[in-house]
Amino acid sequence: TLLLVLHKGVEYLGYMSVDFNLAKVNEKLFLDFEGTEVIHCGINETEVAPKEVFAKRRIQIPGKYQKVGENTVRIAFRNRYAVDGNGLHHFMDPEDKEEYLYSNFEPFAANKMLPCFDQPNLKGTLLLFTITPAHWVVIGNELEKSTIAVGEAAKRLEELRIPAAFISKELADAKYNFKEFATVPAISTYLFACIAGPYGFFTSPRKPEEGYPPMKIYMRKSLQKYVEPFANEFFRITECGISFYSDIFGYKYPFSKLDQIYCPEYNIGAMENVGAVTYSERYVFKDPPTEGILLRFAETILHELSHMWFGDLVTMKWWNDLWLNESFATFISNLCLAKGSGLERYEAVWTAFHKYKGWAYREDQQPTTHPITAKIENTEDADNLFDGITYMKGSSVLKQLYYLVSHEAFCDGVKEYFQVYQWKNTELRDFIGVLQKALKKHGSSIDLDKWVQEWLCTKGLNELQPKFEVKDGVIAEFKVLQSEAPNADKVCRMHMMDIALYDKDFNLTTVERVLVESKPETTIEKIKGMEAPVAVLLNVNDYSYSKVRLDIDSMHAFQKNLSKIKDNLTRMMIWRSYWDMVRDGLTSAEEFLKLVTAQLHFENEESIVSGALGYSLSAATFYVPKEQREAEEMVLYKTLETRLKMEKMPNIKKLLVSYLINFAVTVDQKKLLIKWLNEGMGDYSLSLDQRYAILQKIYADANFPLEEKQKLLAKELEKDKSDNGLRAQRACEAAIPAVENKEKHWKILLDEDTKESEHTLFAIMSGFNSRHQEELLKPYAEKYYCALPAVFEKRSRRYAEAFFNHVKPLDEDEETLKRFEEISKTISEDQKTFKKVVMEEIEDIKRVLKARALYKESIKTVSYTHLTLPTNREV
């Protein structure tokens, strides 16, 4: 039983009654609670002094107060609202001064709001009561049962054995309400939710008899006008997902309602709280979204919805099996977009999926990579597990498993999984067991234990490349070579994939369901005797998780004929292969940027254009030596400027403008940006984010008078009085190129007692460390290195990582590498997050230095002579 008295302001009161059974007395038993104060504590029938039991984020339950069987701990507590997005977060809307609250707990933050056994394998029911201002709505995991005035709640509190002191005369006079909610079924603590404030909402017109739960979308009132145009699509995507999942899982939506809430200053994309999914306000579209952005939003909706089954109905026993939640949700949401009825609009789903696999490829080649089923010893380990390996590698591996076992066997296994394990906690072996049973039913002899060992229990990825012999114009022998990528375990894996062969006219032949065995060389018999191709692409259709190498002949052919390939996913994969070669030091950034300038104007798929531009930005910013950087940026600027003049597609035009802002270097280019702000761009309207990006770029440039900058910003803020505008203002102010200004903002970033929200501090970071201010920021390099230990020790993990990544010295050179290597030696093994980011930074700098050296070498020679790849074909 939980009662929350949610005041306006900085703190709240609570009363928690925890009932649990003990098989035996346990002297080490405790509740997790990172709160401000325990006011009262009772264990079974004994009143206990709070100071006896509450210390160091724990409420001890001494053995002398325990008993075998049923136990009850009653706690009255006081706590401060969070400003870092974990626990019960408080936000005041600067437009209407209304206050909003929301909870966010995964993986280990429920204890920041309430005392509890905060671990996923201890599921429990929850009876929630709240006392709030009368005009607030309250959203929990279950439906609201009743609302009465606080003054009428005394009898109900007495029935619950909650002290009457929680109902003060002040609350009654202030017109507070007492709400009671239906009992939440047995779920893990990280899935509990409480959202409160004067939220506006839209209600789905669907009726229960149509097969859908009651559904609402909530948002701050000041954002309601922006959400309204997309509310119907939000509901429609949700409905399509419920229909698809109910069918493919063989289990109807398992909870009584589905509320979906936009939350301010939200740390992540979304969170699958039972019946109350919370979303970042990045999905509130103040400007028309592109199709790619809508696709990402649809995937997020379906990802969180799938968790109602996979994660909430059935939950992993411990965080080492987090992939059972996140990998599955990522894969199945994309499968839903690809196969679900009514979702045909999102046909670019697998192209976008491949683009986001880059997150996994990068992290899986770091020295900090880990198996999908990772060893988790504590909550810091669990926090670090929400990464590209768990999400994108895990989902990619599930896509491979799905193709390996067939759609029918996969679905049969999943259906039994929910029937057998509903409302329980599971481990990897439980999921694999039902899938193996389904395979046997379908007559398959595939050994999933071997597959699990190869794919889930080892780290890193494989590099695959073709090698074939041609005689008399036909393929005499075709092999797939398999090796390990950097930092991977020395293991070859079984890959089920398709292979594309292109003839001289670039007509395509696809060889489907090719099994690459778990060894360094696999001969592919079904390709023998086929006409010799001019280009080969392994893993076309992207069913396997691997790094595909292009042989030199295929690389030449694709560079000349990329626009002839009609399939968007295939072109996305080729772009990815080129970029991997740049990152791995096999071809130079110069050659890649030539490819961009030659081929970008042929691309019209948003994910591909976005991917190619993102690669270009990374290449120019990091992989090009400082001496040549501005020249490369100028070429890219001219390339985008030329295309923008001819571009008709709004989504592509938006991408081009965003990257033109990024690549604007000269004073004249920045003056053009100011002209865009003041006079517009004809048939294109700058988005709010683009306008603020221009302002921040101008603010960082000493060539423009401060008075001019302030007038430009004031003009924008007059139109936008939201929290976005205030954060943009703070970023601009931090960007001002003046010694005293940098020192002022440095102190703000290091103030451990700050009352600023972390999101405001992130905005300051983005302005403080502005590119092209290297000389001004030089004094802060040593200060930064010295500050890191304290930041990682005393600040939240999210803040520490942001500080590390966004305030670090802008020059990635030998000296920077040396400093990070020295720091690495001083970090203790128990400082896991700190150790992880430093090791990854060292790896990234080594790649950067290798790439810059290759660039310098490449501009001395003719194209491709610096390539180190073998031809891999014999004629």
Side-chain angles (χ1 to χ4, degrees), residues 157-189:
L157 290 185
E158 184 180 351
E159 294 170 353
L160 296 165
R161 299 182 62 190
I162 296 176
F166 277 95
I167 303 179
S168 65
K169 184 177 185 300
E170 289 78 13
L171 290 179
D173 291 345
K175 296 183 179 179
Y176 275 54
N177 279 347
F178 177 86
K179 294 180 183 289
E180 179 173 350
F181 295 82
T183 301
V184 180
I187 59 175
S188 301
T189 49

Side-chain angles (χ1 to χ4, degrees), residues 2-15 77 79-81 88-90 99-103 113 128-139 150 166 171 176-177 179 181 193-197:
L2 172 64
L3 169 66
L4 293 172
V5 184
L6 303 176
H7 300 281
K8 294 181 178 182
V10 298
E11 66 178 19
Y12 59 98
L13 297 173
Y15 177 88
F77 60 92
N79 208 354
R80 292 181 68 86
Y81 293 120
L88 187 59
H89 187 84
H90 174 274
E99 297 180 45
Y100 293 87
L101 309 174
Y102 65 86
S103 61
M113 187 181 97
L128 175 65
F129 302 87
T130 62
I131 295 174
T132 63
H135 71 291
W136 282 16
V137 298
V138 181
I139 306 147
V150 161
F166 277 95
L171 290 179
Y176 275 54
N177 279 347
K179 294 180 183 289
F181 295 82
C194 181
I195 299 96

